[in-house]
Amino acid sequence: MATIERKLSMGMLAAALAGTVTLVGCGNDNGEGRASAPPPAASAGSASAGAGTQAPAAPYEIKFLKSQDISKPYDYTKDAVLQAIEKKLNVKIIPEMVDLQQYKTKLNLKMAGGDIPDVVVKIDFADDFQKYAQQGAFTDLTSLLNEKDTPNIMREVPPEVFEKTKVNGKIYGLPFQGGPGAGYRWNLAMRKDYLDSTGSAIPKTLDDYYNLLKKIKAAKPEVIPLGGYTAQIGQSKYANNSFDHIFGAFGVTPGYFMEKNGEFSSYDTDPKTREALLLLQKMYAEGLIDKEFPTIKEEQLRAKLYSGKLFSWMGWWSTANDYDTQIEANELKKSGKLAADGSLPNQVEQPFKYLALTGSLLGTDGKAVAPAGAPFAQMTAISAKTKDPKRALAILENSLTPENQMLTVWGIENEDYNIVDNKLKMVTDIVDPKTQVDKNGHYRGVQSYLVSPGLKGWPRYLESVPLRNAQALDIAINNKYQITDASNYLDSPTKIEKLTELNTMRDSVFTQIIMGGDIKKFDEFAEKWRAQGGAQILKELGASFQKKAGK
């Protein structure tokens, strides 16, 4: 998980802009992702080019609040990537360095003091953005966003996502996301060698999977067909996704809320959840689910799968490579072929040897759901004091052309990255780790000066990660049955106050039912859930939904 998630946190930032604006943003100090981009062109781009044969205008000056690891050397006047961006977009960026840990504090001080930059980047939606939007700090963009004037923004941000960003029924900013974008990140992982030894194929439906588990149990009595754990009781997701594939085939995902025609309900109390629990209860009774799942911790689960005692489980995408390598090491140890030091070379660029990965299992109706995370957490906004908000928006629009995204995300072709066999390959040794400069004495702030409001993810991202990670991530993020929690971005004081208590009650009851408890416990839980705060949560979510829609 660390490779991609680290890049995600370092890349969702700052500015590749043009115009008569002051900009504040945030960026990575030296950027670690590098990929293919067209070489910088001499033209200024649509936001700053002159009309007809008119000579290009002078570069526009942009002040920029940049988050930076100030313990590392950096001089923006010697940043080769920044210079390429400035030339390509005909801008002059003047960064103000802020320590990584102080960016939010610094930005809030500026906002509170009325020193509001014309464009604000990386402002948290949940608190600061909504607060300042209601205070009138940002430009209303509702009438300015359309397919004709802002096609790049509209390509990146679906209309239904813009609906979630509304404050009092209006759009005041652009959501942004880095890396591969938001979405589902889990796979159903299985031992490929166990599949092969029983002559089985990767299952596509829940029925196929259930029958496969029974087949595995019969052929390998010492192997647990399905493993899971619920160590983190009371969290927002039941069983840490251990049974997502089972619930999902019934069209439900515990822990999430749904909305229809402005009315809200919870999957926790849905009748289909009851049906899923009955199947899980049956599977548990038949010995298809690990008997220790209610008490086992994640590290204990890993020990079982490393040693070959587990056939299938729900796994976070980035863990698959390590699991496959550990399984291989264990198999070599059994045969006496493991190296004396017990180590294996990094297998991440090799195809999976022991694991088979797949997405959602389909239910009897041919459908499924997979619980995706919230599509965005931060926003880009234009100040209400901006002299020309249309020009400012055009700057953001221009920064999102495919060509400009490649430059701002990945840097300069044949320097920061190469295209090999039509695939992106990062250059990882271009800068000295001590001095942070390349052989010409230039810093290279890849992913430091970009605005990435789109939710589709950075271009060619999967090409920038090793083979196994790319395969696992590709399966997860391209799961076409993803849904998001309808309560995202809505206000509910009761949800904040009561949800942990309700989740704890849910987890306890669901676990009891899976282990053989009377299914009537579900009906009792559903009534208690509503009486102990659930009904009020649904009411508040509905009211917040209507308010955001301006009704």
Side-chain angles (χ1 to χ4, degrees):
M1 179 176 6
T3 302
I4 298 295
E5 307 314 317
R6 175 166 48 87
K7 292 177 182 175
L8 276 171
S9 66
M10 301 181 77
M12 301 189 297
L13 341 159
L17 317 171
T20 55
V21 300
T22 302
L23 179 102
V24 60
C26 174
N28 173 36
D29 57 325
N30 60 0
E32 296 180 280
R34 296 175 164 59
S36 74
S43 64
S46 61
S48 56
T53 58
Q54 181 180 351
Y60 294 107
E61 185 174 290
I62 295 172
K63 293 182 179 179
F64 183 76
L65 188 65
K66 180 184 184 299
S67 69
Q68 176 81 17
D69 182 352
I70 60 176
S71 68
K72 294 182 178 180
Y74 179 73
D75 181 349
Y76 75 87
T77 65
K78 298 179 180 179
D79 189 325
V81 176
L82 172 59
Q83 292 169 7
I85 291 171
E86 289 180 326
K87 181 178 180 181
K88 179 68 172 65
L89 296 177
N90 195 32
V91 299
K92 181 61 179 177
I93 299 173
I94 304 176
E96 177 184 348
M97 303 300 168
V98 180
D99 184 70
L100 288 167
Q101 305 301 320
Q102 297 299 317
Y103 174 76
K104 182 180 175 72
T105 300
K106 180 72 171 181
L107 177 57
N108 273 288
L109 286 173
K110 285 180 172 289
M111 297 291 293
D115 182 17
I116 305 174
D118 286 274
V119 179
V120 181
V121 175
K122 201 177 183 246
I123 182 168
D124 291 339
F125 178 87
D127 44 28
D128 298 333
F129 174 79
Q130 294 189 78
K131 176 179 68 177
Y132 293 126
Q134 292 183 61
Q135 292 176 0
F138 305 134
T139 296
D140 178 3
L141 304 177
T142 311
S143 64
L144 302 180
L145 297 168
N146 56 73
E147 294 290 348
K148 179 182 177 181
D149 299 320
T150 57
N152 292 310
I153 291 173
M154 301 307 291
R155 181 193 69 240
E156 292 286 336
V157 186
E160 62 270 19
V161 175
F162 268 127
E163 284 297 314
K164 295 182 181 300
T165 72
K166 285 184 176 180
V167 176
N168 295 334
K170 297 180 179 180
I171 300 172
Y172 289 99
L174 311 178
F176 69 100
Q177 182 70 262
Y184 196 53
R185 292 291 181 270
W186 295 77
N187 294 309
L188 173 58
M190 294 164 283
R191 283 289 295 262
K192 181 178 181 294
D193 51 334
Y194 294 177
L195 280 172
D196 295 342
S197 68
T198 56
S200 303
I202 295 175
K204 295 182 179 180
T205 69
L206 179 57
D207 285 343
D208 291 342
Y209 179 68
Y210 172 70
N211 291 326
L212 172 61
L213 296 187
K214 291 198 295 184
K215 188 175 182 179
I216 292 293
K217 181 173 177 58
K220 297 179 176 294
E222 74 284 2
V223 173
I224 299 167
L226 170 60
Y229 65 99
T230 57
Q232 298 176 34
I233 211 79
Q235 296 300 311
S236 59
K237 279 297 296 164
Y238 173 70
N240 298 291
N241 297 74
S242 292
F243 303 129
D244 268 354
H245 56 316
I246 307 296
F247 285 112
F250 284 87
V252 296
T253 179
Y256 275 29
F257 292 85
M258 50 187 163
E259 174 270 327
K260 185 176 182 180
N261 298 324
E263 296 292 326
F264 282 76
S265 57
S266 169
Y267 282 117
D268 286 359
T269 59
D270 192 280
K272 291 292 185 179
T273 299
R274 189 181 193 273
E275 293 181 30
L277 287 168
L278 282 172
L279 176 60
L280 285 165
Q281 183 183 77
K282 178 182 179 182
M283 293 170 64
Y284 183 86
E286 294 174 346
L288 303 181
I289 295 175
D290 188 357
K291 298 294 184 183
E292 295 184 312
F293 92 89
T295 56
I296 195 172
K297 296 186 182 298
E298 186 178 6
E299 58 269 24
Q300 295 170 314
L301 178 70
R302 287 198 298 266
K304 288 187 178 185
L305 67 91
Y306 291 163
S307 64
K309 295 179 180 178
L310 201 59
F311 167 66
S312 69
W313 63 95
M314 290 299 293
W316 184 257
W317 70 270
S318 63
T319 62
N321 169 61
D322 289 341
Y323 289 168
D324 197 283
T325 299
Q326 290 291 337
I327 292 170
E328 181 180 4
N330 190 74
E331 293 299 318
L332 289 173
K333 184 177 181 180
K334 287 180 183 178
S335 63
K337 297 179 180 179
L338 186 63
D341 62 0
S343 65
L344 281 176
N346 191 336
Q347 307 287 321
V348 71
E349 289 288 4
Q350 303 296 322
F352 288 106
K353 297 180 181 179
Y354 288 92
L355 297 186
L357 308 177
T358 191
S360 291
L361 299 171
L362 303 183
T364 55
D365 59 356
K367 300 178 181 179
V369 299
F376 64 92
Q378 296 173 321
M379 300 288 290
T380 297
I382 297 173
S383 170
K385 297 180 179 180
T386 300
K387 294 180 181 179
D388 190 345
K390 290 184 178 180
R391 187 65 172 276
L393 184 62
I395 292 165
L396 301 180
E397 165 69 15
N398 189 37
S399 74
L400 283 171
T401 66
E403 181 180 5
N404 290 341
Q405 282 196 74
M406 289 298 290
L407 174 59
T408 59
V409 171
W410 300 117
I412 303 170
E413 187 173 3
N414 299 324
E415 294 183 25
D416 299 291
Y417 70 91
N418 295 301
I419 300 298
V420 181
D421 296 330
N422 201 34
K423 291 186 177 181
L424 182 153
K425 295 293 182 183
M426 296 181 296
V427 178
T428 58
D429 59 355
I430 191 170
V431 298
D432 184 302
K434 293 183 179 180
T435 64
Q436 297 294 312
V437 298
D438 61 19
K439 62 182 181 180
N440 297 314
H442 293 150
Y443 295 92
R444 311 197 69 87
V446 175
Q447 298 170 8
S448 286
Y449 299 94
L450 67 117
V451 168
S452 182
L455 302 185
K456 294 183 180 298
W458 296 342
R460 307 186 75 153
Y461 193 91
L462 288 178
E463 299 172 33
S464 72
V465 297
L467 177 65
R468 285 185 180 176
N469 287 346
Q471 290 177 340
L473 182 59
D474 182 52
I475 292 171
I477 66 176
N478 288 313
N479 186 318
K480 65 180 180 180
Y481 301 104
Q482 298 179 57
I483 63 168
T484 56
D485 185 348
S487 70
N488 288 336
Y489 316 117
L490 297 178
D491 298 322
S492 171
T494 306
K495 181 184 175 186
I496 295 173
E497 179 185 358
K498 294 288 188 177
L499 194 61
T500 297
E501 175 186 330
L502 294 175
N503 287 347
T504 300
M505 177 170 61
R506 173 202 63 206
D507 293 350
S508 176
V509 171
F510 284 15
T511 299
Q512 291 175 47
I513 293 172
I514 292 172
M515 296 180 68
D518 194 326
I519 193 60
K520 291 182 180 179
K521 289 180 179 290
F522 178 84
D523 305 317
E524 295 169 358
F525 158 74
E527 291 210 11
K528 288 182 179 179
W529 186 91
R530 287 187 284 268
Q532 296 179 16
Q536 183 63 22
I537 291 174
L538 299 180
K539 181 180 179 180
E540 291 171 358
L541 291 176
S544 179
F545 179 86
Q546 297 297 330
K547 182 178 180 181
K548 279 183 172 290
K551 297 179 181 179

